[in-house]
């Protein structure tokens, strides 16, 4: 087969070898490798020619065939075969390898000339072995393409350091890239957990960079894909949201025209996490819509902080798992299993995700490399049969215990030391057994790496130490800057770097220098003496810091005012190659200074300077919503000044620096949910700074307390605080007279301004102190609302006066104005004034930038004021849009309030209960993530819906045993003094008892509900409470002839006579039904029948099938009491059942059947009006 002229194709030959040697020269060159290595070869020069020699010089066969034939023929007592076959199986194995992998086992070095030897041997670059694991991994994308599952996919590859996790996953990623997948990877680093979020952002920014390259390329499919993603993003996110996304993925500015980076505010720090979740979810969903599968690789998850693990594994993956096109998404997570014990945050995340219904999970555990796999790797790299290398591979396996990184390092060290060498005579790689057996490897790979690399030239070793001080990777441009520093050697960096690349210690690509494994970096770094390490960090840090900007050398805090754009390495934004290139030069410098530490720096002026540097970096990171990372730098700055110390040095302006560091730390802690540390940093500020200068710290503290549900503490501290700003509110509980007096003063102040004058007061950007005062008001008012505190109206009135007096309005002022409108309705029933202030707020918000107070103002207006004036269906839509807006800006907490209201109002509007029940299931999951307080309200609605449907469900299971039923919620609400929740539960019990026809229990629940202070607040439930209570009163009057019941019924009619003029669509059918019940109670049969029919028609025309059914039921019940009307009564009750069934209230329909003996079959009587009413 392999006759002369039939050699393997030329692509099997290495392009970098120039090995030409005549046959006659072979003998004279046999000893070349011995002289090159300085050692004696294991094979002595033969005294006579061998069969291999004659076959080789016949020029008829490849070298591998010559060796194969020689080892098969030149055997026996006088045989000279170097590796004779021991069995026929070895022969067939060799032939099979040649057939299956000719590029390896028919690899034939060309004839050698000039004494050249191969120089490209480096173990670890190619993938070998672990066929089972490789197949298991690639089965996942194959399954995704075939099955189109609606669930997202996650694969977790675990194993010890050096087990080959990265090599396996990156090999699969490279293959999938050739199949059209979008594959990006990033790696978390040891000892820099605070930068974890930046790693995630870098991962997604790489996708943006790929889209830009596609957009600018020539491949039409790529161009169309990139354009499709842009269109999907623009349809999912508005301009403001895209600008917010650019905070995290800066390259999106080059992908979508007009997008610029928006800077974050401290006071909205607590929104950052959920904003990022939303933006990344929408970004990924836009990618998936274009039908290209995506694989995200996250390496070394064990070094990510808990917040980032929550972001990726709980929130982002969970959200994607709920999207319909998530079958194109695969997350590959890698971690070291010996690090992830039960107390590690990744452990609990993995436990949770294994039980997820929205994510398919595959787990691959990499154990030690088997002898067979290692033998195949060595055979493939040396281009030799496995039978030939088995002794060598077994020796390496024994020395390294199957750790593949250890094995690769040992083999490469043997190549560097010429223990493994190229034998020119036999034209193959060979090894010195006697020297190999004496190699000292130590007990682990770390010790071996240190030992082997210590023999490098001093200049190279010093460069390696400098590289290790930067961590796992560093940009080449940074090293170029260091060329002129004292840390650089005479030979510079370039030559040593190339040598380190050649021996496989580092890799260089795209301007980035990376260690081939983080263990190598750690071993080198740990091997530097402590004093030398501190000096290196200090020299690098100060050099780069002063290089960033000469002003940074000043020992005072004027440096704090420097624009960070002046200290970037380059004008480029985040590179697709690395997250490092987004760092400012100052950020890199500060990392080194912090590693040196304040203990190493004794001069106070230097400490202040370095504290200021940390402040600068922290401030810049905060403006880009990297609060976890920012906190690290704020705390490092505090460490340089001295923990627990407040510097009042006017010369260095240390007071202002202290305030900036502690203020930033408090805000950052608040953003990432560290409530105890938020309180610590804020209280430290309060001890050293006046209230006027500590407002941002108060805002952070109140936000933290709100997330912990400590509303009473907010109100108490807040009332005391605002007294410092000429807003004098009595600390004693206010009485009604004081409230009305304060309201009158606010009304008088407002009377001096017209609508356009008030709207013109609105300012997006204004004096910071005033803005902060109103943010304080916003925090206190939210807490007071949760408590139904009587302080809320006083706060509202005083802040309205304060705003108008100073002619100053912000988004927070809009909340006060909205509340003011609400209290005009609540306290003095001035609905016109309520609508007047609602319109002012809506006009103001047209000029406002969307943020948390914006969402609050909107849901107060739509959810509590405009319900009196516009159709309820429109209110439901407006509330849902407010919810969507809040989600887009990342205000997940406040977004849940309009979501609860829109869902609840949809129930009262007559939305199909089956659809509502499904909607509530999804909403409850979101609320459990973002706002458990809202979930407590929503679960009460869900329980009522399922009861009306006749479904025996347990919606309280969403709380996972914390609250088993509404009784548990009542106990909880009583403990927390949550009057709103208590009232809500009893009102829902009242309404459910009404629908069941249990009027006695309904009245009992009504009395309890009315006992709570919050019952006096006007809300949609107030309307329905009055409506149902009036109906019950007339029914009970006809039973008992109680004049009190009649008065209660007439009282409800009086209320609806006022309300119907505000919005006929909302109140007409209800008022008509109440009037019908009054006429039925007189009794005035003829007029009652007319009014019942009018109510039925009004409910039908407004699309309220449930209230149409209720009118039929009330009419039927009345007619049963009238002689000769039983037939028409039963027709009405049948129609009522039909309406309830169409509403989805099968449980209510069943109760109706039992009460009145209706037939159990599905036949339903319909009149002409009933046949027409469902078209809407």
């Amino acid at each position: 087969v392999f006759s002369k002229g039939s050699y393997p194709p030329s692509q099997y030959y290495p392009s970098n070898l120039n090995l030409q040697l005549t046959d006659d020269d072979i003998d004279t060159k046999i000893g070349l490798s011995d002289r090159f290595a300085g050692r004696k070869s294991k094979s002595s020069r033969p005294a006579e020619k061998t069969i291999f020699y004659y076959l080789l010089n016949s020029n008829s066969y490849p070298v591998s065939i010559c060796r194969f034939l020689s080892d098969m023929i030149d055997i026996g007592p006088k045989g000279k075969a170097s590796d004779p076959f021991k069995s026929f199986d070895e022969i067939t194995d060799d032939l099979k390898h040649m057939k299956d992998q000719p590029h390896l086992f028919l690899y034939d070095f060309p004839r050698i000339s000039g004494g050249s030897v191969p120089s490209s041997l480096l173990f670890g670059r190619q993938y070998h072995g672990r066929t089972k694991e490789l197949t298991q991994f690639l089965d996942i994308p194959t399954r995704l393409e075939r099955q189109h599952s609606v669930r997202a996919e996650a694969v977790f590859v675990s194993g010890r350091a050096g087990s080959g996790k990265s090599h396996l996953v990156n090999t699969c990623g490279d293959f999938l890239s050739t199949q059209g997948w979008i594959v990006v990877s990033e790696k978390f680093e040891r000892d820099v957990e605070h930068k974890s979020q930046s790693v995630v952002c870098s991962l997604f920014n790489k996708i943006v960079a790929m889209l830009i390259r596609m957009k600018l390329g020539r491949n039409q499919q790529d161009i169309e894909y990139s354009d499709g993603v842009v269109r999907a993003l623009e349809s999912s996110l508005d301009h403001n949201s895209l600008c917010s996304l650019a905070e995290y993925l800066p390259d999106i500015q080059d992908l979508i025209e007009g997008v610029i980076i928006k800077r974050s505010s401290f006071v909205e720090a607590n929104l950052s996490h959920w904003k990022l979740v939303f933006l990344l979810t929408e970004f990924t969903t836009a990618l998936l819509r274009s039908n290209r599968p995506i694989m995200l690789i996250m390496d070394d998850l064990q070094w990510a902080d808990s917040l980032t693990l929550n972001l990726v594994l709980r929130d982002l993956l969970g959200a994607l798992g709920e999207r319909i096109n998530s079958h194109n998404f695969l997350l590959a997570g890698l971690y070291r299993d010996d690090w992830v014990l039960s107390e590690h945050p990744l452990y609990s995340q993995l436990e949770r995700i294994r039980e997820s219904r929205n994510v398919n999970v595959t787990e691959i555990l990499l154990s030690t490399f088997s002898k067979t796999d290692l033998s195949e790797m060595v055979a493939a790299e040396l281009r030799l049969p496995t039978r030939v290398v088995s002794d060598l591979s077994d020796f390496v396996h024994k020395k390294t215990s199957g750790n593949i990184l250890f094995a690769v390092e040992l083999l490469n060290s043997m190549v560097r030391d010429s223990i493994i060498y190229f034998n020119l005579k036999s034209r193959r790689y060979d090894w010195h057994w006697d020297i190999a057996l004496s190699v000292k490897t130590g007990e682990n790979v770390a010790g071996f790496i240190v030992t082997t690399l210590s023999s490098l030239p001093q200049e190279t070793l010093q460069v390696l130490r400098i590289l290790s001080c930067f961590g796992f990777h560093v940009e080449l441009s940074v090293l170029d800057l260091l060329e002129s520093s004292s840390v650089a050697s005479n030979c510079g960096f370039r030559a040593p770097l190339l040598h380190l690349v050649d021996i496989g210690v580092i890799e260089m690509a795209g301007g980035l220098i990376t260690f081939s494994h983080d263990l190598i970096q750690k071993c080198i770094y740990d091997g530097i003496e402590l004093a030398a390490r501190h000096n290196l960090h200090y020299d690098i840090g100060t050099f780069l810091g002063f290089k960033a900007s000469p002003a940074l050398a000043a020992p005072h805090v004027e440096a704090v005012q420097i624009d960070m754009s002046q200290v970037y390495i380059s004008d480029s934004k985040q590179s697709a190659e690395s997250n490092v290139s987004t760092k400012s030069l100052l950020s890199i410098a500060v990392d080194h200074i912090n590693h040196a530490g304040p203990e190493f720096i004794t001069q106070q002026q230097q400490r202040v300077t370095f504290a200021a540097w940390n402040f600068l970096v922290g401030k810049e990171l905060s403006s880009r919503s990297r609060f976890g990372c920012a906190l690290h730098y704020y705390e490092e700055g505090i460490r340089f000044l001295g923990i627990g110390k407040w510097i009042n040095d006017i010369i260095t302006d240390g007071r202002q620096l202290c305030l900036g560091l502690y203020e930033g730390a408090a805000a950052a802690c608040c953003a990432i949910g560290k409530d105890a540390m938020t309180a610590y940093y804020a209280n430290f500020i309060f001890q050293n700074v006046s209230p006027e200068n500590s407002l941002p710290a108060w805002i952070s503290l109140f936000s933290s307390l709100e997330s912990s549900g400590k509303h009473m503490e907010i109100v108490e501290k807040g009332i005391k605080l605002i007294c410092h700003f000429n807003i004098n509110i009595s600390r004693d509980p206010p009485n009604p007279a004081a409230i009305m007096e304060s309201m009158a003063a606010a009304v008088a102040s407002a009377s001096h301004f017209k609508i356009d004058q008030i709207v013109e007061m609105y300012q997006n950007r204004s004096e910071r102190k005033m803005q902060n005062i109103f943010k304080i008001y916003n925090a206190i008012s939210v807490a007071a609302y949760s408590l139904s505190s009587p302080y809320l109206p006083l706060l509202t009135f005083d802040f309205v006066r304060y705003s108008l007096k100073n002619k100053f309005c912000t988004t927070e002022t809009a909340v006060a104005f909205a509340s003011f409108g609400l209290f005009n309705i609540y306290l003095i029933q001035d609905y016109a004034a309520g609508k007047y202030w609602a319109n002012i707020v809506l006009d103001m918000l047209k000029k406002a930038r969307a943020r948390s107070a914006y969402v609050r103002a909107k849901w107060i207006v739509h959810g509590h004021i405009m319900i009196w004036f516009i159709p309820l269906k429109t209110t439901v839509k407006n509330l849902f849009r407010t919810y969507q807006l809040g989600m887009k800006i990342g205000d997940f907490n406040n977004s849940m309030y309009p979501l609860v209201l829109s869902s609840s109002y949809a129930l009262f509007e007559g939305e199909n209960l089956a659809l509502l029940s499904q909607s509530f299931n999804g909403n409850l999951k979101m609320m459990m993530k973002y706002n458990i307080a809202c979930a407590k309200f929503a679960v009460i609605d869900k329980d009522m819906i399922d009861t009306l449907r006749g479904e025996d469900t347990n919606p309280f299971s969403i709380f996972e045993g914390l609250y088993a039923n509404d009784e548990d919620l009542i106990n909880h609400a009583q403990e927390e003094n949550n009057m709103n929740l208590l009232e809500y539960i009893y009102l829902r019990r009242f309404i459910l008892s009404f629908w069941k026809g249990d009027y006695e229990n309904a009245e009992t629940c009504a009395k309890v509900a009315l006992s709570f202070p919050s019952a006096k607040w006007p809300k949609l439930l107030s309307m329905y409470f009055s409506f149902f209570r009036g109906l019950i009163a007339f029914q009970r009057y006809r039973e008992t002839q109680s004049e009190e019941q009649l008065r209660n019924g007439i009282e409800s009619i009086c209320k609806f006579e006022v309300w119907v003029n505000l919005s006929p669509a909302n109140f007409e059918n209800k008022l008509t039904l109440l009037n019908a019940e009054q006429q039925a109670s007189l009794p005035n049969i003829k007029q009652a029948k007319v009014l019942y029919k009018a109510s039925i028609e009004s409910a039908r025309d407004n699309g309220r099938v449930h209230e149409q059914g209720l009118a039929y039921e009330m009419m039927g019940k009345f007619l049963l009491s009238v002689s000769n009307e039983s037939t028409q009564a039963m027709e009405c009750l049948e129609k009522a059942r039909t309406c309830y069934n169409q509403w989805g209230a099968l449980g209510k329909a069943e109760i109706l059947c039992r009460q009145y003996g209706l037939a159990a079959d599905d036949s339903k009587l319909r009149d002409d009006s009933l046949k027409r009413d469902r078209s809407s």
Side-chain angles (χ1 to χ4, degrees), residues 559-571:
V560 176
Q561 306 303 321
I562 293 175
D563 184 355
M564 285 295 288
S565 63
Q566 298 175 14
V567 292
Y568 278 125
I569 285 177
S570 66
D571 293 332

Side-chain angles (χ1 to χ4, degrees), residues 439-470:
V439 170
K440 304 295 183 182
T441 58
E443 297 181 356
N444 53 53
V445 63
F448 179 72
I449 290 172
V450 171
T451 302
T452 55
L453 294 181
S454 62
S455 62
L456 291 172
Q458 280 303 310
E459 294 82 0
T460 304
L461 193 56
Q462 180 64 9
V463 169
L464 199 54
R465 288 170 180 152
I466 292 171
L467 291 178
S468 72
C469 289
F470 283 90

Side-chain angles (χ1 to χ4, degrees), residues 21 54 97 130-131 135 204 270 291 303 342 552 566 581 621 644 655 688 694 700 702 746 749 852 854 903 1056 1137 1149:
L21 189 65
Y54 286 112
H97 283 139
R130 298 203 188 278
T131 306
T135 304
F204 282 91
N270 58 325
N291 293 322
W303 290 329
S342 58
L552 292 176
Q566 298 175 14
S581 52
L621 289 165
R655 185 182 185 85
N688 294 278
S694 60
S700 297
F702 287 160
S749 295
S852 59
Y854 184 102
S903 301
F1056 275 86
R1137 180 174 68 170

Side-chain angles (χ1 to χ4, degrees), residues 907 913 916-917 920 941-950:
L907 166 62
L913 295 182
L916 264 181
S917 182
F920 266 88
D941 284 339
K942 178 67 164 62
D943 191 38
M944 185 174 78
I945 289 170
D946 290 344
T947 302
L948 289 172
R949 293 180 64 222

